[in-house]
Amino acid sequence: MSNAELRYEQEFVDGLYVRLAELRAQAGDATRAALGRELGGTRQDRIERDIVVAEQSALLAALNASEHGLCFGRLLFRDGSDHHIGRIGIRRDDTEHSPLVIDWRADVARPFYLATGHTPMGLRRRRHITTSGQKVTALHDEILDLDDPERTGYEGSDADAVLLSSLDAARTGRMHDIVQTIQAEQDRIIRAPHHGVLVVEGGPGTGKTVVALHRAAYLLYANREQLTRRVVLVVGPNPAFLGYIEDVLPSLGETGVLFATPGELYPGVVATARDDAEAAEIKGRAAMAEVLGRFVADQQKIPDEPLAIDHEDGELYLDAEIATEARRHAREARLPHNLARPRFVARVVDGLTAQLADRIGGDPFGGPNFLGSTEIAELNMGIAGSAAVHRAIDELWPKLTPEGVIADYLADPVYLTDEDAAAVRREPVWEPVRGGWTSAEWTVSDVPLLDEAAELLGVDDTAARVAAEQERRRRIAFAQGVLDLTYGSRTQEFEDREDEQSEVLAAHDLVDAERLAERHEEADHRTAAERAAADRTWAFGHVVVDEAQELSPMAWRLLMRRSPTRSMTLVGDPAQTSEPGGCGSWERILTPFVEDRWELTRLGVNYRTPAEIMTVAAAVMRAADPGFVPPESVRATGTAPWARATAADELPDTVAAAVAQERDTTRRLAVIAPPRLLDALAKSLPDAESGVAPDLTRPVVLLSPKQAKGLEFDAVIVVEPADLSLHDLYVALTRPTQRLGVVHAGPLPRGLDVLV
């Protein structure tokens, strides 16, 4: 075996890290220079500085995040040319545009993923480079041109050796990228066109999540300017899952992405609590949009009896006639409730003005008490400024908040059956900070309702805009005073000089009061992703949704608002639908929003689950659905799943003993159990990590099946499987990459009863 090739690749990697250090230093120098530069008086100067700082900070973040395994491949072409492939593209120097390393997303890198002996795409060989830090530890050459006589000693007879080595590696508690082992079917999905809705369906272990993340990275590369500005949103099922995937995109040089769970999609609310299955299903129904619309309309009232309003010229009466006309006028605009309110207010004020005018000056023929337009306008202004009038208006068309509306609705649910109303009813609590009624604890199922209420209400920002303009004018006046005080006397001195040819550069030539005021405004240094997280109306450039089959119709209404262009990648598996309100089928999810304008692609190869475990999981599913077809596993481990029976009162201790035994041969172990058993198991497993967002890098974690969605571990112990739904059990059984065990006190479900 020749060492020349290994030395060559090591020298190349050494040079690559030297270049990496140069780029880091340059980015740091550029940032320091921008921050230390003397700024002029224009806003443009500050914007240019901030752009430089943001660009260099993003570059540094990408360089640091992509350092591990920076170069992982090399393409050697028949014409003698070659290219190294890496996580990000790096040029040889600042003046030469030829690449030192080509970004894996570039078109020229595609042969690394697609070339075969039958279709070599111009290659004579493809080299996989394995590194540990900066050290090259292994090479693997695939010969694609059999007529090529060269042999390096690193040729492998198994073209899948690199893939299988990656699959057999111990888990770390974090999802890793697959840039070195992307398969052809995955590459086609990753590089699919940007427009429209792409659905990626696949069973457990088919890599649909990691493919979707690599697709997000590819789209950010191919549509950099647009998507960086508009942000890519990645929605995952729970906090544990987001922690699991959070390193993938940074490792590919992408940091401008917003990650969120469904409970975090309404700014100001982070919901982790969950309703019971019945309440969640009811709240998730599409019909809840109409229900909430009717509930908000009910807040636009007509008085049964006229409302008496104290006025200096005698009581006014806001009666049904005035209110009905005002409500008709406001509703005709088809605006959200709060935005339509000024129209209601204006008509009420006009009605009360007419009432008062009739009382004190009702002679239509111009008698001594006749009121002209000026007098009527004065009456109108007085009524419009009356606090008593506005208190009466608030009774009929109140200003509403989404939180208040949903809290009020859940306290007394209407337009539901008695049984459904009882299931979702929840008493509100008074929240002094907000000054209103709200929920004691928002649930994940409440978030789409809050968002729907926000759509129905709108935000009347008139007062905020008026206040902002007043503040701007105040700052300008203050700045003008500073300029006059500082430079006024000097300017007058020069103006009084007889030498009219003198030209003096005064402060007013450099900066006027408005520009000076702008310089003291508080700059928004948030990233685009941070701004998007705080803005409910933000339109994302692309949205990735994992476990998409689990989301309710109401949750989909929320997500479609976040993606008005309908540029989305949805991944999931209908066979794993466990939420009662989950849509399950892609047709049910998408037809209301895009009809048939979406594309479905399927992944059928199971890269995670060994054949021995997949056989058992498939048997469980076939017991309920004889036609079930599982994804095909690419490997077997030779280790059969096991089951251990125990008494109910000994279950926690038996699980603890099984964990101790498995830890002798396992790096990452998950215990997956029904929620009712988690507290008892936590006591018997004091070293196990648990909670809403457990640290998955710990050796042992304790999870419910819903928390385990999308995750993988070296070994899994499933506890009391008979207590789990069919779909939850299927999820739990398909999490391990090496070993599976079952501990039970009750009978084993059909399909698992073959285990011994």
Side-chain angles (χ1 to χ4, degrees):
M1 182 179 293
S2 170
N3 288 322
E5 292 292 328
L6 191 63
R7 285 197 302 271
Y8 174 85
E9 300 297 356
Q10 183 63 66
E11 290 172 0
F12 177 84
V13 170
D14 289 341
L16 179 58
Y17 276 84
V18 170
R19 178 62 178 149
L20 184 67
E22 292 175 354
L23 291 172
R24 281 195 181 116
Q26 290 171 7
D29 290 344
T31 300
R32 286 188 290 273
L35 292 174
R37 190 172 67 228
E38 183 69 27
L39 293 181
T42 68
R43 189 177 185 182
Q44 185 65 28
D45 289 331
R46 299 197 311 279
I47 292 174
E48 290 175 356
R49 177 200 64 188
D50 291 344
I51 288 174
V52 170
V53 172
E55 288 178 343
Q56 298 305 317
S57 297
L59 175 59
L60 271 172
L63 294 173
N64 293 335
S66 305
E67 180 177 4
H68 175 69
L70 189 59
C71 176
F72 56 80
R74 184 180 174 198
L75 300 175
L76 296 98
F77 292 88
R78 289 175 177 173
D79 62 6
S81 63
D82 70 310
H83 294 301
H84 281 87
I85 309 297
R87 281 175 166 73
I88 58 175
I90 297 179
R91 289 186 298 177
R92 293 184 184 276
D93 57 48
D94 296 332
T95 59
E96 188 176 349
H97 291 286
S98 62
L100 185 62
V101 172
I102 290 177
D103 194 298
W104 66 276
R105 296 165 286 192
D107 285 341
V108 72
R110 291 205 77 180
F112 189 78
Y113 304 110
L114 300 182
T116 64
H118 185 265
T119 309
M121 302 177 71
L123 292 182
R124 61 184 181 88
R125 69 176 52 214
R126 170 173 47 211
R127 170 168 291 172
H128 295 268
I129 302 171
T130 303
T131 58
S132 177
Q134 191 174 326
K135 181 177 177 58
V136 177
T137 58
L139 304 178
H140 181 87
D141 285 353
E142 297 177 56
I143 300 175
L144 299 174
D145 181 1
L146 298 179
D147 294 330
D148 183 358
E150 181 184 357
R151 293 295 179 268
T152 64
Y154 293 101
E155 293 81 9
S157 58
D158 185 355
D160 293 326
V162 176
L163 171 64
L164 293 175
S165 175
S166 173
L167 298 178
D168 284 333
R171 304 298 97 177
T172 64
R174 291 285 185 269
M175 178 179 280
H176 56 79
D177 64 71
I178 58 168
V179 286
Q180 190 170 356
T181 58
I182 293 172
Q183 303 300 291
E185 67 169 357
Q186 298 171 331
D187 184 80
R188 284 188 286 270
I189 295 171
I190 289 169
R191 298 173 193 265
H194 174 209
H195 305 291
V197 177
L198 176 66
V199 176
V200 183
E201 181 181 305
T206 53
K208 53 189 179 295
T209 297
V210 73
V211 166
L213 294 174
H214 283 67
R215 173 165 164 74
Y218 172 76
L219 293 177
L220 283 161
Y221 171 84
N223 306 274
R224 175 70 62 195
E225 183 176 353
Q226 176 189 5
L227 292 187
T228 299
R229 183 177 65 253
R230 293 177 57 192
V231 185
V232 172
L233 171 65
V234 177
V235 181
N238 55 58
F241 176 84
L242 292 186
Y244 178 62
I245 68 171
E246 66 182 358
D247 293 340
V248 175
L249 286 170
S251 76
L252 302 175
E254 301 298 344
T255 56
V257 178
L258 176 63
F259 293 88
T261 66
E264 298 171 321
L265 292 175
Y266 183 82
V269 170
V270 178
T272 56
R274 290 187 174 272
D275 288 299
D276 61 42
E278 183 181 7
E281 188 276 326
I282 295 167
K283 291 180 180 181
R285 294 174 187 169
M288 285 301 299
E290 180 181 353
V291 167
L292 291 178
R294 295 173 67 184
F295 183 74
V296 169
D298 289 345
Q299 313 312 306
Q300 302 161 4
K301 301 182 176 79
I302 303 297
D304 295 329
E305 299 291 336
L307 301 179
I309 303 170
D310 290 334
H311 190 271
E312 60 185 6
D313 293 310
E315 281 190 336
L316 299 175
Y317 294 95
L318 205 175
D319 57 22
E321 182 180 355
I322 294 175
T324 299
E325 166 58 20
R327 186 172 72 172
R328 181 197 61 77
H329 177 68
R331 286 180 172 178
E332 280 180 349
R334 295 188 171 279
L335 292 170
H337 174 90
N338 288 334
L339 298 184
R341 187 178 187 274
R343 294 172 66 91
F344 180 83
V345 171
R347 278 301 169 95
V348 167
V349 169
D350 287 348
L352 294 176
T353 300
Q355 184 183 116
L356 183 58
D358 286 344
R359 180 188 305 164
I360 64 176
D363 187 348
F365 301 106
N369 293 327
F370 178 72
L371 299 179
S373 59
T374 300
E375 290 85 359
I376 290 178
E378 290 176 353
L379 291 177
N380 188 279
M381 291 178 62
I383 291 173
S386 167
V389 169
H390 283 278
R391 283 194 295 271
I393 290 173
D394 286 343
E395 291 186 38
L396 304 181
W397 196 295
K399 293 179 181 178
L400 300 174
T401 66
E403 293 83 355
V405 165
I406 300 305
D408 288 344
Y409 179 79
L410 295 178
D412 185 18
V414 293
Y415 306 120
L416 297 177
T417 66
D418 291 343
E419 293 79 6
D420 289 349
V424 301
R425 183 173 287 110
R426 186 170 68 220
E427 291 301 318
V429 295
W430 180 260
E431 193 171 286
V433 176
R434 291 184 181 273
W437 294 97
T438 186
S439 170
E441 183 177 30
W442 296 115
T443 68
V444 174
S445 305
D446 291 333
V447 168
L449 303 185
L450 290 166
D451 197 72
E452 191 71 30
E455 283 291 302
L456 292 168
L457 299 180
V459 178
D460 182 6
D461 62 351
T462 304
R465 285 188 285 107
V466 169
E469 177 62 18
Q470 291 174 342
E471 175 62 18
R472 187 181 75 87
R473 292 181 179 276
R474 186 196 65 77
R475 282 198 300 266
I476 291 174
F478 177 80
Q480 186 65 58
V482 172
L483 288 174
D484 291 344
L485 181 64
T486 306
Y487 297 103
S489 59
R490 289 178 57 190
T491 302
Q492 185 63 46
E493 176 186 340
F494 284 111
E495 288 176 349
D496 290 342
R497 290 178 57 177
E498 294 180 359
D499 185 1
E500 295 181 357
Q501 301 302 315
S502 296
E503 294 184 0
V504 177
L505 188 64
H508 297 79
D509 299 316
L510 295 174
V511 57
D512 58 21
E514 185 168 1
R515 288 178 178 175
L516 183 60
E518 286 179 356
R519 290 182 64 178
H520 290 275
E521 290 179 3
E522 184 176 351
D524 188 350
H525 295 293
R526 294 176 300 171
T527 66
E530 289 169 337
R531 294 197 302 274
D535 185 353
R536 194 193 67 83
T537 63
W538 190 278
F540 289 92
H542 192 76
V543 176
V544 177
V545 185
D546 200 285
E547 301 292 349
Q549 77 283 347
E550 300 286 9
L551 298 185
S552 70
M554 287 298 291
W556 281 110
R557 287 176 64 86
L558 179 156
L559 281 171
M560 290 297 173
R561 294 187 193 108
R562 305 298 190 268
S563 180
T565 61
R566 304 296 191 260
S567 177
M568 309 179 87
T569 301
L570 313 181
V571 297
D573 178 15
Q576 296 185 65
T577 305
S578 60
E579 294 292 340
C583 288
S585 81
W586 306 121
E587 289 80 6
R588 286 185 60 198
I589 291 171
L590 295 171
T591 299
F593 305 103
V594 297
E595 297 180 342
D596 60 351
R597 299 186 302 277
W598 53 280
E599 181 181 352
L600 173 64
T601 184
R602 290 183 173 87
L603 294 170
V605 178
N606 188 332
Y607 298 100
R608 175 204 303 141
T609 316
E612 296 88 347
I613 296 174
M614 199 64 223
T615 298
V616 172
V620 170
M621 294 298 289
R622 287 198 186 102
D625 178 9
F628 175 76
V629 179
E632 183 179 354
S633 297
V634 299
R635 65 192 175 95
T637 61
T639 302
W642 54 265
R644 187 172 302 165
T646 186
D649 59 348
E650 297 177 357
L651 184 68
D653 291 337
T654 304
V655 171
V659 167
Q661 182 177 347
E662 285 291 337
R663 286 189 62 179
D664 291 340
T665 57
T666 300
R667 186 173 179 182
R668 293 285 180 275
L669 170 67
V671 177
I672 303 178
R676 71 173 182 85
L677 295 177
L678 293 180
D679 288 343
L681 290 173
K683 294 177 182 177
S684 68
L685 299 169
D687 295 333
E689 181 77 4
S690 60
V692 173
D695 180 359
L696 300 176
T697 65
R698 296 285 296 273
V700 180
V701 294
L702 176 61
L703 305 167
S704 70
K706 287 181 173 53
Q707 287 180 297
K709 275 185 171 292
L711 309 182
E712 63 181 22
F713 305 90
D714 297 316
V716 168
I717 295 175
V718 178
V719 182
E720 206 64 291
D723 279 10
L724 303 178
S725 70
L726 176 66
H727 298 291
D728 281 348
L729 179 55
Y730 184 55
V731 168
L733 294 173
T734 54
R735 298 308 96 195
T737 64
Q738 301 290 335
R739 298 170 60 82
L740 170 68
V742 175
V743 177
H744 62 102
L748 288 174
R750 291 171 58 196
L752 284 183
D753 48 15
V754 298
L755 297 181
V756 294

